[in-house]
Amino acid sequence: MTFSLHGIGVSRGYAIGRTYLLQRNQMEIAEYAIPDAIIEDEIRRFLNSLDIARKQLQEIRQQIPPTTPGDLTAFIDTHLLMLQDVTFTEAPVQLIRTRKCNAEWALKIQRDLLVQVFEQMDDPYLRTRKDDVDHVVRRVQRILVTEDPASAGNPDYAEPSASRLEGRVIVADDLTPADTILMQHQGVQAFVTEYGGPLSHTAILARSLGIPAVVGARNARAWLGHDEPVIVDGRQGAILVGLDERILRYYRHKQQQERREQRELSKLKGKPAITRDGMTIGLYANIEQPEDATAVRDVAADGVGLYRTEFLFMNRTEAPDEEEHLASYLHVIKVLDGSPVTIRTADLGADKQVDGGRGGPVSTNPALGLRAIRMCLKDLAMFRPQLRAILRASAFGPVRMMIPMLSTIQEVFQVLRLVAETRQELRDRGLAFDEKLPIGGMIEVPAAAVCAPQFAHYLDFLSIGTNDLIQYTLAIDRVDDEINYLYDPLHPAVLMLIHNTIRAGHKAGIPVSLCGEMAGDPRYTRLLLGLGLTEFSMHPTGLLEIKRAVQNSHVGELSEAVRHLLRTTDAEKYAEALKSIAQN
Ligand code: PEP
Ligand code: MG
């Protein structure tokens, strides 16, 4: 009998294959006292384990074919950087000295401190990055607890040989970026993990690599047998077990369809995104790191609609300085070669992050606390270097500055004042910048969406951050698994706020884009076009599919259908109207 397990489909596509269940190697980390006389030996043992861990990662890095996109190897580089950071090299040494404890235990204490800091961040992407800390710590601890450290190998799993993984569906509790990349090159077909959400490593990597993946499939390893034939439906987030010929036929057909579709989509690269009634739509990309710019160029996007700069602040104790900001921005500007780059100022969460977690009260509700522009305006020593760098970068190509999480117009005034001061500072230093650098704001707080005309009056462009707009409008924590089912992009309140923002921008004669996940989901393209959206910004891998949806749409007809939708108060008719917009 066929049955299905469900998780979150994070990377589209279908895989048919046999499972390979990965069981994590258990590791007991105990505390024991180290006598004074051998403290220095213990420190040497610890430093040696860091060396071995670095060598292991460098070896993994070398095994990755040069054709792999830069953003994938960057995950391994992040771990290498962490192994050189004082939080890993010095803090545990201090702990060994002061607590006179073994290296494994010192590392555990340091891990707990770091994870606490990450957990307090309200940016879900950064919060997910606590996984990096765990992956690095486990790698080093495994080396420490292994008698022959140099042969510690893969830190998490009994290492399966490459030939045994070929064609398999990997089922694990969670995967490190190194595991994910290596396994992909060993020919695995799909990933299923018990933990993680749409922003987890496995999700991001699987999307970039184009491999079907389902994350958050709780207890998958209890339900699935080893070497069991399964189908992974990355669209629906389902794993089908107990297959019969009818189901296999159906999914083989879907696979063929998907492959055909991919071939067709690749033909759209470089073609304009023009609707059936002749409207040109801007398709932009979201990036997280400078290396991602290559993927933007590869799909010939119109530019970068959202550059999340938070990565620059990660895994370090000091905020980046002006030159570091500038170097990252210049890299993207160079790769984009004349297409616009929208740099978002730091959307950091809890205020502890910049100083490596020392000091500052902990907010009980960080999503509603000192976040994004609120934090930047409070910590000008951290914010000013970024403002200077964005302005300076504008001398090298078309740059736009974007402010996240605006909730009151006073914040806009404060930013504009700071930018004016920064301009003067740069003039005094004789440094070039674009005098007309556009300054825009993200509309992701309902208050800002309601008052969009006011924001549109003072800003040069608006960008709707639906990921946050939905969570704040519906009071749904976007990363809380328990209430995920209530996270509804189609809620009338959300659509009304999006509509209001787009209208406000049009009335003020400024561009409005949408850069939340909705922009990259073809199920919503027609609806957004009908709401009047003319600029979409999304993960580069989804761009061509959105282009096709745009080309098949007629904005005039959709606008009429959406006008009708927004006037509909009957819940059933509302659902029907939504369906007809999505299908026609
Ligand atoms: C959003 O909130 O929609 C958005 C694009 O920003 P982030 O996901 O980085 O919060
Ligand atoms: Mg946001």
Side-chain angles (χ1 to χ4, degrees):
M1 190 189 68
T2 305
F3 69 95
S4 60
L5 304 179
H6 291 267
I8 307 165
V10 289
S11 182
R12 292 180 212 138
Y14 312 97
I16 305 173
R18 289 182 173 273
T19 55
Y20 194 105
L21 263 53
L22 287 176
Q23 300 296 348
R24 197 176 283 279
N25 293 332
Q26 291 306 323
M27 206 175 14
E28 279 298 318
I29 301 299
E31 178 181 17
Y32 51 90
I34 301 290
D36 281 342
I38 57 164
I39 287 276
E40 292 309 314
D41 291 343
E42 188 64 7
I43 291 172
R44 264 193 296 281
R45 190 171 78 88
F46 169 67
L47 295 177
N48 183 42
S49 69
L50 292 183
D51 273 347
I52 295 172
R54 278 192 285 267
K55 281 195 195 109
Q56 285 178 346
L57 285 175
Q58 273 151 0
E59 267 169 34
I60 291 174
R61 208 183 182 293
Q62 276 161 12
Q63 288 177 48
I64 298 173
T67 46
T68 305
D71 54 340
L72 304 188
T73 42
F75 279 112
I76 294 189
D77 291 339
T78 305
H79 287 193
L80 276 164
L81 279 175
M82 286 167 77
L83 284 166
Q84 285 157 21
D85 193 273
V86 286
T87 48
F88 276 96
T89 55
E90 286 175 21
V93 170
Q94 288 310 322
L95 285 163
I96 296 171
R97 282 217 169 88
T98 50
R99 296 179 70 124
K100 300 186 197 308
C101 66
N102 51 321
E104 297 86 331
W105 194 254
L107 203 51
K108 183 200 171 303
I109 298 172
Q110 180 63 4
R111 177 257 169 215
D112 292 348
L113 282 172
L114 291 171
V115 164
Q116 216 180 1
V117 172
F118 276 92
E119 273 171 353
Q120 283 152 7
M121 291 176 187
D122 64 350
D123 183 303
Y125 182 79
L126 292 179
R127 212 182 309 162
T128 314
R129 299 288 76 84
K130 75 176 188 321
D131 300 349
D132 285 303
V133 175
D134 272 333
H135 294 154
V136 170
V137 166
R138 273 208 300 271
R139 182 173 290 280
V140 180
Q141 281 177 333
R142 178 144 316 273
I143 294 164
L144 285 166
V145 299
T146 308
E147 272 175 32
D148 175 11
S151 67
N154 187 307
D156 279 339
Y157 299 103
E159 210 161 342
S161 72
S163 60
R164 284 161 66 198
L165 289 186
E166 199 171 337
R168 295 301 191 100
V169 170
I170 301 296
V171 187
D173 54 351
D174 191 15
L175 292 167
T176 69
D179 292 334
T180 314
I181 294 171
L182 273 184
M183 287 177 193
Q184 192 262 338
H185 289 297
Q186 289 162 354
V188 307
Q189 284 219 51
F191 293 108
V192 174
T193 63
E194 295 183 344
Y195 297 97
L199 300 169
S200 66
H201 281 312
T202 311
I204 294 168
L205 288 170
R207 265 199 297 273
S208 298
L209 295 164
I211 296 183
V214 175
V215 302
R218 294 290 159 90
N219 298 321
R221 287 173 308 165
W223 289 98
L224 299 173
H226 190 62
D227 205 22
E228 181 161 12
V230 292
I231 289 169
V232 177
D233 183 338
R235 267 183 198 267
Q236 303 295 330
I239 305 116
L240 285 86
V241 201
L243 311 175
D244 59 32
E245 201 36 52
R246 197 176 50 91
I247 287 187
L248 279 167
R249 238 194 341 264
Y250 175 75
Y251 272 96
R252 280 194 201 113
H253 175 66
K254 287 196 95 80
Q255 273 185 320
Q256 277 170 0
Q257 251 181 347
E258 183 98 353
R259 277 196 283 270
R260 252 199 316 273
E261 246 182 66
Q262 286 308 321
R263 277 197 300 274
E264 287 304 309
L265 281 180
S266 64
K267 293 183 193 157
L268 294 182
K269 194 182 144 182
K271 300 253 165 61
I274 301 180
T275 62
R276 274 172 32 225
D277 49 342
M279 184 177 276
T280 301
I281 303 298
L283 298 184
Y284 295 81
N286 295 351
I287 61 169
E288 268 97 36
Q289 302 184 82
E291 295 79 16
D292 299 345
T294 325
V296 180
R297 198 188 45 197
D298 289 348
V299 290
D302 291 315
V304 169
L306 165 64
Y307 177 2
R308 295 181 164 105
T309 57
E310 293 79 61
F311 240 102
L312 275 170
F313 291 79
M314 279 176 56
N315 303 322
R316 52 192 299 159
T317 48
E318 300 289 327
D321 65 20
E322 180 178 331
E323 299 305 321
E324 274 177 89
H325 277 293
L326 184 62
S328 306
Y329 306 156
L330 291 187
H331 176 90
V332 178
I333 291 167
K334 190 161 168 235
V335 177
L336 268 279
D337 193 22
S339 303
V341 178
T342 311
I343 305 173
R344 179 173 77 180
T345 58
D347 186 3
L348 297 166
D351 55 341
K352 287 182 161 188
Q353 195 195 346
V354 181
D355 67 0
R358 292 184 291 272
V362 179
S363 166
T364 49
N365 206 339
L368 304 181
L370 194 59
R371 180 192 161 180
I373 191 58
R374 301 172 180 182
M375 182 179 166
C376 287
L377 290 174
K378 187 145 186 175
D379 188 350
L380 293 181
M382 184 264 286
F383 193 32
R384 283 186 194 274
Q386 183 168 39
L387 289 181
R388 287 196 293 268
I390 296 175
L391 274 163
R392 285 177 61 190
S394 70
F396 296 85
V399 167
R400 310 196 304 173
M401 183 190 295
M402 184 155 82
I403 314 300
M405 212 201 163
L406 290 166
S407 55
T408 85
I409 201 69
Q410 309 308 326
E411 288 161 341
V412 174
F413 296 156
Q414 275 178 278
V415 171
L416 294 180
R417 216 169 23 244
L418 279 169
V419 172
E421 282 171 24
T422 311
R423 285 191 172 121
Q424 192 49 48
E425 219 181 299
L426 295 182
R427 278 186 209 108
D428 294 345
R429 282 165 62 193
L431 293 168
F433 61 90
D434 174 8
E435 292 279 355
K436 295 205 174 77
L437 169 101
I439 300 174
M442 285 192 70
I443 302 298
E444 44 188 352
V445 174
V450 170
C451 298
Q454 206 183 21
F455 287 88
H457 183 74
Y458 291 99
L459 290 164
D460 299 317
F461 66 93
L462 303 178
S463 187
I464 307 171
T466 40
N467 304 343
D468 278 314
L469 186 62
I470 297 165
Q471 89 159 339
Y472 291 132
T473 305
L474 305 181
I476 309 295
D477 185 341
R478 68 195 237 194
V479 292
D480 186 339
D481 287 351
E482 297 286 323
I483 38 124
N484 248 344
Y485 69 100
L486 289 170
Y487 191 87
D488 179 13
L490 300 175
H491 191 293
V494 173
L495 299 190
M496 283 178 198
L497 292 175
I498 293 176
H499 189 230
N500 195 50
T501 307
I502 295 172
R503 238 184 3 196
H506 288 178
K507 272 197 185 145
I510 62 167
V512 180
S513 75
L514 191 148
C515 60
E517 291 299 305
M518 267 183 102
D521 191 329
R523 288 175 302 173
Y524 307 130
T525 311
R526 296 165 57 78
L527 176 65
L528 293 173
L529 287 170
L531 283 163
L533 191 71
T534 52
E535 287 182 17
F536 294 63
S537 191
M538 69 211 84
H539 192 280
T541 48
L543 193 133
L544 296 177
E545 200 171 350
I546 300 299
K547 188 181 283 185
R548 185 178 55 191
V550 165
Q551 290 176 337
N552 290 334
S553 300
H554 188 290
V555 173
E557 286 167 15
L558 289 169
S559 311
E560 188 46 47
V562 166
R563 255 197 301 278
H564 166 70
L565 172 81
L566 294 178
R567 279 197 303 261
T568 306
T569 45
D570 181 287
E572 254 176 56
K573 288 193 178 132
Y574 184 84
E576 271 168 31
L578 271 176
K579 214 160 141 192
S580 89
I581 290 169
Q583 281 168 356
N584 285 332

